[in-house]
Amino acid sequence: KSIFRGISVADLNFAIGRTAAGGEYLIKAEARSKGTLTKLFRVSFFQSFKSNVGAEKFRVLKTVKRDEQGDRIRDSEAIFDYGDRRVTYTETDPNDAMRPPRRIASALADEETHDLISAVYNLRRLPLAVGKTFQVSISDSGLVYKIPVRVAAREQQDSILGRKIWCFRVEPEVFGPNRILEQKGSMIIWITDDERRIPVRSQISTDGYKIEVKLKKVS
């Protein structure tokens, strides 16, 4: 759930399971604006991600996304070919069938690459410890970025899992030059320091706004 200036503005649902064949994980994420945001700011959005991830090497194989912002809608698909070391991204406008698809192809330098959704899940698999740094390859909209990730601290957080739970404060550098978001900003994710490795809170800050994401339910 996202909080904008103290107001609950969106719901985020995140789920992971196996495909029918069992050789892949299917990670789904949906974010939908709530009535408060629409009423106060006349803004509405819906984003849906479906990521197919290889079960053996845990690398993204395909990403399907729908992005709705008011009347603007974009559907996209990214196919990751590790044999050919290439990701191919195709974006279409379902409201304009005559509009040519937008296509981008980029080289895959690493054997393990993630999209935005699988990258968050992958943080749980890293050997987290204060002071450690990692570099994660993330593809977004057909481009590939090398994202440094730093485990900055070990802090206590209140969450639905309990009060004062010890968490790792993880800081992916997604903002800045040659990053996914080129503007100034910061992103923090708090992940429980236990065998569950559950993200309980995230904070995204820029010069213009701050977004808080808090875990509300686990099933």
Side-chain angles (χ1 to χ4, degrees):
K1 182 169 288 188
S2 299
I3 310 296
F4 183 81
R5 293 181 181 176
I7 302 172
S8 179
V9 298
D11 286 326
L12 171 65
N13 294 305
F14 187 94
I16 182 168
R18 290 270 194 169
T19 59
E24 300 175 8
Y25 292 107
L26 179 60
I27 304 177
K28 298 180 181 180
E30 290 187 354
R32 187 185 300 273
S33 57
K34 299 181 69 172
T36 303
L37 184 66
T38 304
K39 291 177 182 177
L40 292 179
F41 304 103
R42 296 184 179 179
V43 174
S44 65
F45 65 85
F46 171 74
Q47 287 192 331
S48 171
F49 291 85
K50 293 181 181 179
S51 301
N52 287 72
V53 178
E56 182 179 354
K57 294 186 178 181
F58 205 86
R59 57 188 183 183
V60 66
L61 305 175
K62 181 173 72 173
T63 305
V64 177
K65 177 181 175 183
R66 165 159 280 214
D67 185 357
E68 301 179 10
Q69 300 182 35
D71 294 331
R72 179 188 179 278
I73 303 176
R74 294 292 184 271
D75 288 332
S76 63
E77 180 181 76
I79 302 295
F80 296 80
D81 186 336
Y82 292 93
D84 199 29
R85 290 189 173 273
R86 183 169 297 274
V87 55
T88 304
Y89 172 86
T90 305
E91 180 184 276
T92 58
D93 180 355
N95 288 332
D96 186 356
M98 300 301 294
R99 181 175 178 174
R102 175 172 172 252
R103 290 189 172 90
I104 298 174
S106 298
L108 294 175
D110 292 336
E111 279 291 325
E112 184 178 301
T113 302
H114 301 279
D115 60 15
L116 291 171
I117 297 302
S118 67
V120 173
Y121 192 89
N122 183 62
L123 292 178
R124 305 172 61 245
R125 303 171 63 247
L126 298 177
L128 302 178
V130 176
K132 277 203 169 187
T133 58
F134 307 91
Q135 184 170 265
V136 181
S137 292
I138 300 178
S139 178
D140 182 54
S141 299
L143 302 178
V144 181
Y145 304 88
K146 300 285 190 178
I147 303 299
V149 177
R150 181 168 69 104
V151 184
R154 186 172 176 266
E155 301 174 340
Q156 288 183 320
Q157 295 288 313
D158 292 336
S159 77
I160 63 166
L161 302 178
R163 293 181 57 83
K164 305 299 182 184
I165 291 181
W166 283 103
C167 298
F168 289 111
R169 174 178 169 142
V170 182
E171 300 181 356
E173 295 182 19
V174 297
F175 288 89
N178 301 316
R179 299 284 187 256
I180 298 173
L181 302 168
E182 293 195 351
Q183 66 196 97
K184 292 183 179 180
S186 64
M187 180 179 187
I188 304 170
I189 302 173
W190 284 268
I191 300 175
T192 59
D193 179 14
D194 57 23
E195 69 280 358
R196 297 172 296 177
R197 288 288 198 267
I198 297 177
V200 297
R201 180 187 171 204
S202 179
Q203 183 182 90
I204 301 171
S205 302
T206 71
D207 291 339
Y209 61 85
K210 179 183 289 186
I211 295 177
E212 290 273 354
V213 181
K214 296 181 180 179
L215 183 67
K216 293 297 182 182
K217 182 181 179 181
V218 178
S219 61

